[in-house]
Amino acid sequence: MLKKTAAALSASALAVTGLAVTASSAAAASYPTCDSAKKKYISSTRFVVQPYYTGTGSRNCEMGLGALSSGVTRLQFAFNDCYNGRANIAEDGRYGPETRNAVKYIQEQTDGDAAVDGVYGPQTRKAMYWGVYIEGQGLWDCRPVGV
């Protein structure tokens, strides 16, 4: 009887663990990895350049520690352009500890709108300041784009 109860408890624990792993994996896979950067016009002459996923064209994508892309480079540019005085992040396209810490700083400023986990995603994109450029003239201002 004791062996049957132990086996039933073990099976239940494995089932619960399997469900937890599945739920966690599904949440982690909710957005693709940002693998490039593109212009987003906010008026007829003003634009920002933000990370996006080339597979769908969506800016709803994620990047975290270990990512390597022009999307990471664009994030690093935005941080250096708009959060000057915090730190100078190497604009090398590598999502390392400095970039993660910069993203955490941005997330801490959002009053709970974005999880403070150092992972760049849609909530961070909407909350952070981006360099706004004027066609043919360069950097004009920094502001949250919010869309």
Side-chain angles (χ1 to χ4, degrees):
M1 177 76 168
L2 189 55
K3 285 184 182 181
K4 286 183 181 180
T5 303
L9 287 174
S10 294
S12 295
L14 286 174
V16 169
T17 303
L19 288 175
V21 168
T22 302
S24 148
S25 297
S30 60
Y31 294 107
T33 300
C34 307
D35 59 0
S36 193
K38 70 176 177 178
K39 285 183 180 180
K40 161 81 170 126
Y41 279 87
I42 58 174
S43 77
S44 61
T45 59
R46 294 187 176 121
F47 64 91
V48 295
V49 182
Q50 296 177 319
Y52 83 112
Y53 172 60
T54 56
T56 61
S58 177
R59 290 174 299 127
N60 289 331
C61 54
E62 294 182 338
M63 297 181 290
L65 205 55
L68 179 63
S69 72
S70 58
V72 176
T73 304
R74 182 44 58 185
L75 177 64
Q76 293 164 333
F77 269 108
F79 189 76
N80 288 338
D81 282 348
C82 300
Y83 294 87
N84 54 359
R86 278 288 306 153
N88 285 322
I89 304 296
E91 296 165 352
D92 59 4
R94 297 175 189 276
Y95 202 115
E98 286 183 341
T99 302
R100 180 191 59 208
N101 291 339
V103 169
K104 280 184 180 181
Y105 170 78
I106 292 163
Q107 292 167 337
E108 288 167 356
Q109 310 307 307
T110 67
D111 296 326
D113 291 340
V116 181
D117 58 6
V119 174
Y120 170 87
Q123 293 303 104
T124 304
R125 174 180 51 80
K126 292 173 186 174
M128 72 181 279
Y129 282 73
W130 292 93
V132 177
Y133 298 87
I134 297 177
E135 198 72 59
Q137 296 181 23
L139 183 64
W140 173 70
D141 192 14
C142 288
R143 60 179 59 186
V145 176
V147 292

